[in-house]
Amino acid sequence: MNDKTDHSTDKSIVMIGLMGAGKTSVGKRLADAMGLPFVDSDDEIADAAGCPIPVIFEKHGEAAFRDLEERVIERLLHEPRCVIATGGGAYMRPETRARINADGITVWIRAELDILVERTGRRGGRPLLEQGNPREILQALMDERYPVYENADVIVDSGNDSHEVTVHQIIDALNQLDEAST
Ligand code: S3P
């Protein structure tokens, strides 16, 4: 499934993974460590729509959100090199995934169910988790999404390690990718 071969260093780093995995918090620290700008695609989508994500879902539906997400991510991928944290569903839409695979280096922050349940419980504003029992929803999303996230260029586990440790693991893995492609 993974047809990516080129890991050229001018590509942006794209964080993927489920809600609560730590894409934003790790992504920000990764950007700092690499001296790159950081951008969160959910924030950019909310800015473009002029309203928060739950309102986009409520007023326009998930399909409209995914259309906007695809356009915003395409734009971000064409900006100067940066670290992009994406929303958990972005990499699941084939068109968005193709854009990310073509123009980015993907980093999957993998996390176990208990961690995702605990972290997503700390902050609301995630419409998909408001449609039922969050643990059951997250488990179903893991079953559906993890086989696709597995295509990432770099996979790191976000357990009880500090963000700094995770950032170091990512940088090591990115360096190995660079060496392998030269
Ligand atoms: C979603 C994840 C959210 C946000 C939207 C949909 C998803 O982002 O994009 O609520 O489909 O998993 P985070 O992963 O940053 O919470």
Side-chain angles (χ1 to χ4, degrees):
M1 271 172 90
N2 189 344
D3 60 355
K4 293 167 284 176
T5 50
D6 174 18
H7 301 297
S8 98
T9 49
D10 59 358
K11 289 184 170 182
S12 286
I13 314 286
V14 182
M15 316 299 291
I16 65 171
L18 269 190
M19 295 173 268
K23 302 180 296 284
T24 300
S25 40
V26 172
K28 275 183 186 162
R29 287 170 176 81
L30 178 67
D32 275 354
M34 295 180 74
L36 293 174
F38 171 81
V39 58
D40 185 298
S41 68
D42 280 343
D43 290 347
E44 297 289 319
I45 293 164
D47 278 356
C51 61
I53 285 171
V55 177
I56 307 176
F57 269 73
E58 196 187 311
K59 277 198 184 162
H60 308 287
E62 181 173 350
F65 170 78
R66 298 297 172 199
D67 288 344
L68 191 51
E69 183 173 55
E70 184 185 343
R71 287 202 300 277
V72 164
I73 288 175
E74 182 189 12
R75 171 173 62 77
L76 297 177
L77 285 165
H78 288 105
E79 287 186 2
R81 190 177 199 218
C82 58
V83 176
I84 304 169
T86 62
Y91 198 64
M92 296 304 296
R93 178 185 261 219
E95 297 81 2
T96 309
R97 183 163 67 248
R99 292 186 194 287
I100 293 172
N101 285 345
D103 294 324
I105 299 172
T106 41
V107 177
W108 174 22
I109 311 273
R110 182 168 56 192
E112 289 175 1
L113 182 61
D114 284 342
I115 290 179
L116 298 172
V117 172
E118 199 267 318
R119 291 196 191 141
T120 53
R122 289 186 210 154
R123 157 171 98 70
R126 290 175 166 119
L128 292 186
L129 297 184
E130 280 156 23
Q131 293 168 4
N133 176 307
R135 172 176 284 271
E136 286 171 13
I137 293 168
L138 283 164
Q139 179 64 70
L141 290 173
M142 283 173 85
D143 294 344
E144 180 193 341
R145 294 179 177 180
Y146 277 19
V148 179
Y149 292 161
E150 263 175 15
N151 290 294
D153 295 301
V154 170
I155 301 176
V156 284
D157 284 300
S158 151
N160 295 319
D161 287 334
S162 70
H163 289 323
E164 277 65 30
V165 170
T166 309
V167 165
H168 281 299
Q169 287 171 348
I170 296 170
I171 290 174
D172 283 349
L174 291 173
N175 287 338
Q176 282 174 25
L177 277 183
D178 272 349
E179 280 166 24
S181 69
T182 50

